[in-house]
Amino acid sequence: MIRRVARFVVRHRGLVVVAWVAIFVAGVAGVGKSVGRLSTDFSLLGQPGYETATRVLAAYGTDAGIAPYLLTISAPAGQHINPEQADTAFAAVQRAVPRTRVIGGQQTGDPIFRTADGRSAFAYAFIPEPNGLTDPTLPLLEKALAVAAPAGTGAAVTREQALASAGPSSTGPSVLAETFIGGVGALAVLLFVFASVLALLPLMIAAIAILSTFLILLGLTYVTDISFIVEFLVALVGLGVAIDYSLLIVTRWREERAHGLANHQAVENAMATAGRAVLFSGVTVAIGLITLVVIPVPFLRSIGLGGMLIPLVSVAVAMTLLPALLGSVGPRMDWPRIRHENTASRFWLRWATGVVHRRWISTAGALVVLGALFIPYLSLSVGTARSESLASSGPAYDALQTLEAGGVPAGALTPMVVLTDSAAADAAATTARSVSGVVTAFAPQGAVGGAAGTRLVVVIPRSETYNGSTVQVVRDVKSALDARSGVIGVTGVGALQIDYQNGVYGTFPLVLLVIVLVTYVLLVRAFRSLLLPLKAIVLNLLSLAATFGGIVLFWQYGLGSRAVFGIAPTGSLTFWLPIMIFAFLFGLSMDYEVFILSRIREEYDRRGSTNSAVIEGIGRTGRLVTSAALILFLAFLSLSSTPQTDIKVFAMGLGFGILLDATIVRMLLVPALVSLFGEWNWYLPQCVARLPRIKAPEPLLDVADGVVFEGTGG
């Protein structure tokens, strides 16, 4: 089938090129509209914390599911703040900023709103639901508080959002600039690989794939919400994936040409071998992203849906436009031909020979590295980033430090909000105060604390509720209030953490099992083996665990984040990061497995010797895989310049995972294990082969030998 498609494309190459150019032009015209229609919705339909937040929003007009801002006023060091003047200023802020609900000492009489040293006072500002990635309420609050604050005092607004805006990563290049940076890095690698004008061809394919994906996204936004995060993924993951696929096909085309084949025959052979590997790779990446599509969290589903388009569109462009271009202008672009592909890389042949001859040592060495990284993986914590990791300077940071120095608990940043019937609020506050880990709880008086027959109770824990261990106090409060009549629900940052953990990870084991089974069947068909797909999946999961261990060390423990980015340890990973990193890395890492083992399988079919097949396969794919991994790493490195800490963690996690997988796993452990397994690699009973309808490979024409030999075909 693949050979027939390649033959059709080459025969009608002009029409194919015109069609893709038209799609590209439409994509250029629609990319701005596509980005503008992306969603920042993080809803969790059916989860108790989210549903309570929705009811609070409907009744009070403010979003209780996000942390409120802290309006702070501080006297100079050694002096005391006037409480009445501070309360007057806070009331002025509420009047100046529409739909804001300010709750402080004046509404509650609670002493927590004054620091023990008497220097500072603060109040909560609950705000409307943000309508975008950047909260427009923050500058309004800052301006209003600066105007209302008593003369001679310092005024600042703090909270996670304010801290992030003031942090060391508060500014960064646009997605377009990041893509350009990644493209420049990719071009440098491609020039090294091809040493000819052909280096431009994969970039052309990537540009068309990216713009085509944005065009499809535009249509999807009229059917369902698509998360803004997809914008980064399409631009940068799309850049790396499309270049990887092009790199594999173009390299094989050059090899076939170097063996003396005519151009069109070389294109067909390249598509029947490398194109087949690209097809299986793209489907494997898409399967990994099914993890996100089936999780009952809308924004993660949208990321999975949008993310699936990246490999599928890249495969479509690489399987049609690329052979059309190679069939027409390919030979002219292969100038100057400094690097030739008629023989395998001498370096990688020596490397593979060394690994095969020392396969036990190679296996042990790789497993030691992966095992060392697996240990910190066991302490992976899921939640949100600690406030300390968001900023180390600025007014918001200084205000928070002043409050904490005055005795205000860190948990003031993440209060719980309890929605009750009007008559049940005071009793609920009393019950919440009795829970271990709670500093205080109160039911605000007046219009700010009641609406539509309900009242709000604010519960302040001792510590920030940012991960799985610190949200225990939220669970305890919910348990204590479950027995009380009139309590409608508990919401807030900690409550939503519990919701997300339940929604995202509750069904993950079953989803993982399905993905593993589907991937296994697909790879059995690709490799014509029972053992190789099993090894591939096990190594993929081991590589992922080691990657998470590296992320824990770098970000959660801060062993690299402070030195590289000036960011303190995050303490945990935001709930959506592990599942997204898994979904993308599972497929992207399998890309390299498919590239390598497809070639090893082909060489085994030709030579009949496992060790010879491993040496020649690595010799042919070693430079290709490491170059492809470096291109993806550079794309993710440019993505890490994004202001948001979570996106930095995501980008660095993918980048580290790609390099770890392409070096320790694919270039060391894979060839060593294939050599160790010997003939067991190729075991596939005929009764099993009939199930996935595996057919014998088609013969490839080898002009160099003048004979037809059996190789991996379409």
Side-chain angles (χ1 to χ4, degrees):
M1 181 192 71
I2 295 175
R3 185 181 292 278
R4 288 196 298 270
V5 170
R7 192 173 295 131
F8 175 87
V9 166
V10 171
R11 187 178 300 122
H12 302 89
R13 52 190 178 276
L15 182 62
V16 172
V17 171
V18 169
W20 278 113
V21 169
I23 294 173
F24 173 76
V25 172
V28 171
V31 65
K33 190 172 184 180
S34 299
V35 172
R37 290 185 56 82
L38 298 180
S39 169
T40 56
D41 177 38
F42 289 89
S43 61
L44 273 170
L45 301 178
Q47 295 292 336
Y50 173 77
E51 295 298 340
T52 301
T54 301
R55 294 190 63 171
V56 172
L57 181 63
Y60 294 83
T62 54
D63 191 349
I66 60 175
Y69 285 108
L70 275 67
L71 311 176
T72 69
I73 297 177
S74 299
Q79 298 184 25
H80 291 76
I81 193 74
N82 185 309
E84 290 76 16
Q85 290 181 335
D87 287 339
T88 300
F90 296 146
V93 171
Q94 175 159 322
R95 291 192 298 271
V97 183
R99 299 173 59 201
T100 300
R101 190 173 295 270
V102 175
I103 297 175
Q106 188 176 42
Q107 293 77 25
T108 66
D110 199 295
I112 197 171
F113 292 103
R114 309 284 185 265
T115 56
D117 56 11
R119 180 187 174 190
S120 305
F122 78 94
Y124 285 127
F126 289 89
I127 63 170
E129 184 179 24
N131 229 356
L133 186 59
T134 303
D135 181 13
T137 307
L138 176 57
L140 299 178
L141 291 173
E142 291 174 330
K143 181 179 179 180
L145 185 62
V147 171
T153 62
V157 180
T158 190
R159 179 192 100 166
E160 282 88 348
Q161 179 72 28
L163 290 167
S165 300
S169 58
S170 59
T171 59
S174 64
V175 174
L176 179 62
E178 291 167 353
T179 307
F180 178 78
I181 294 170
V184 170
L187 179 60
V189 177
L190 292 170
L191 285 171
F192 169 77
V193 172
F194 292 123
S196 76
V197 181
L198 274 176
L200 298 174
L201 196 54
L203 286 175
M204 293 169 54
I205 297 299
I208 292 173
I210 290 170
L211 271 299
S212 301
T213 304
F214 272 115
L215 186 62
I216 299 174
L217 276 180
L218 177 59
L220 282 179
T221 60
Y222 289 96
V223 179
T224 184
D225 287 340
I226 301 294
S227 173
F228 72 94
I229 297 174
V230 175
E231 172 188 358
F232 300 97
L233 301 179
V234 169
L236 291 162
V237 177
L239 176 71
V241 167
I243 289 176
D244 280 2
Y245 295 163
S246 303
L247 185 61
L248 183 66
I249 293 173
V250 174
T251 299
R252 187 55 186 260
W253 169 78
R254 293 185 88 192
E255 180 185 335
E256 298 295 337
R257 290 264 297 166
H259 288 161
L261 289 183
N263 185 37
H264 289 182
Q265 185 62 49
V267 172
E268 286 189 26
N269 272 19
M271 295 306 299
T273 52
R276 182 175 183 271
V278 163
L279 179 61
F280 277 106
S281 296
V283 174
T284 303
V285 175
I287 288 174
L289 289 163
I290 292 176
T291 309
L292 302 181
V293 174
V294 300
I295 288 175
V297 177
F299 96 93
L300 283 177
R301 282 179 172 174
S302 75
I303 292 173
L305 185 62
M308 285 177 63
L309 292 176
I310 299 170
L312 296 180
V313 173
S314 296
V315 166
V317 179
M319 298 286 286
T320 54
L321 179 59
L322 185 56
L325 292 174
L326 290 176
S328 54
V329 299
R332 290 192 293 274
M333 293 186 71
D334 194 9
W335 176 90
R337 297 186 66 184
I338 299 174
R339 190 185 298 279
H340 299 277
E341 304 291 347
N342 56 324
T343 59
S345 165
R346 288 193 296 271
F347 170 81
W348 287 107
L349 283 175
R350 289 195 300 269
W351 173 271
T353 301
V355 170
V356 168
H357 289 168
R358 299 170 179 83
R359 47 191 176 270
W360 285 107
I361 297 176
S362 299
T363 301
L367 291 177
V368 166
V369 173
L370 296 178
L373 288 171
F374 180 82
I375 294 173
Y377 160 71
L378 298 175
S379 60
L380 173 68
S381 175
V382 177
T384 59
R386 289 190 303 187
S387 59
E388 292 95 325
S389 69
L390 300 177
S392 57
S393 61
Y397 175 81
D398 294 338
L400 181 59
Q401 295 301 304
T402 300
L403 291 181
E404 291 182 349
V408 176
L413 283 170
T414 55
M416 292 168 253
V417 175
V418 183
L419 182 65
T420 72
D421 294 338
S422 296
D426 292 331
T430 300
T431 300
R433 278 194 296 269
S434 67
V435 175
S436 176
V438 171
V439 175
T440 188
F442 44 78
Q445 302 299 314
V448 296
T454 66
R455 287 186 66 189
L456 299 178
V457 175
V458 179
V459 183
I460 300 180
R462 189 170 306 281
S463 303
E464 282 184 81
T465 52
Y466 65 88
N467 66 8
S469 59
T470 59
V471 296
Q472 184 57 46
V473 64
V474 182
R475 293 190 176 94
D476 293 342
V477 168
K478 293 176 70 173
S479 297
L481 294 177
D482 280 345
R484 301 207 65 91
S485 61
V487 174
I488 298 172
V490 179
T491 188
V493 173
L496 290 187
Q497 286 298 317
I498 297 172
D499 285 353
Y500 277 117
Q501 289 170 14
N502 293 337
V504 172
Y505 297 101
T507 59
F508 181 70
L510 179 59
V511 172
L512 176 60
L513 177 62
V514 172
I515 288 173
V516 165
L517 290 176
V518 173
T519 302
Y520 181 77
V521 172
L522 179 70
L523 294 182
V524 167
R525 184 175 176 83
F527 300 148
R528 288 176 284 127
S529 163
L530 290 181
L531 182 61
L532 287 179
L534 180 62
K535 176 197 64 64
I537 291 172
V538 171
L539 290 188
N540 233 29
L541 296 177
L542 182 59
S543 175
L544 279 164
T547 297
F548 282 120
I551 296 172
V552 168
L553 291 175
F554 190 97
W555 288 104
Q556 188 173 311
Y557 294 160
L559 298 184
S561 62
R562 194 186 297 274
V564 177
F565 296 106
I567 296 176
T570 60
S572 63
L573 302 183
T574 301
F575 70 93
W576 53 267
L577 283 171
I579 192 71
M580 277 191 58
I581 291 173
F582 168 85
F584 278 91
L585 273 186
F586 184 86
L588 292 174
S589 299
M590 197 65 79
D591 263 1
Y592 303 136
E593 184 86 10
V594 173
F595 292 173
I596 295 168
L597 291 182
S598 293
R599 189 57 188 256
I600 292 176
R601 171 83 241 197
E602 180 183 336
E603 295 300 330
Y604 177 80
D605 290 340
R606 180 186 303 183
R607 300 165 183 267
S609 167
T610 298
N611 285 344
S612 296
V614 170
I615 293 171
E616 182 68 16
I618 295 297
R620 287 292 184 182
T621 60
R623 185 175 69 225
L624 172 67
V625 167
T626 52
S627 299
L630 183 57
I631 289 170
L632 267 176
F633 175 78
L634 293 173
F636 294 137
L637 188 64
S638 64
L639 178 59
S640 69
S641 61
T642 300
Q644 291 80 15
T645 297
D646 285 343
I647 301 296
K648 287 181 181 294
V649 177
F650 178 65
M652 292 300 292
L654 290 181
F656 173 71
I658 288 294
L659 284 187
L660 177 71
D661 191 84
T663 53
I664 300 297
V665 178
R666 308 305 165 190
M667 291 295 104
L668 189 61
L669 192 53
V670 167
L673 287 177
V674 173
S675 178
L676 282 172
F677 293 155
E679 292 303 308
W680 283 104
N681 290 293
W682 324 112
Y683 177 69
L684 182 66
Q686 189 59 39
C687 59
V688 177
R690 283 195 292 267
L691 296 178
R693 301 178 63 187
I694 297 174
K695 297 181 180 180
E698 294 179 4
L700 295 179
L701 180 63
D702 191 337
V703 172
D705 295 334
V707 298
V708 173
F709 64 83
E710 293 294 326
T712 304

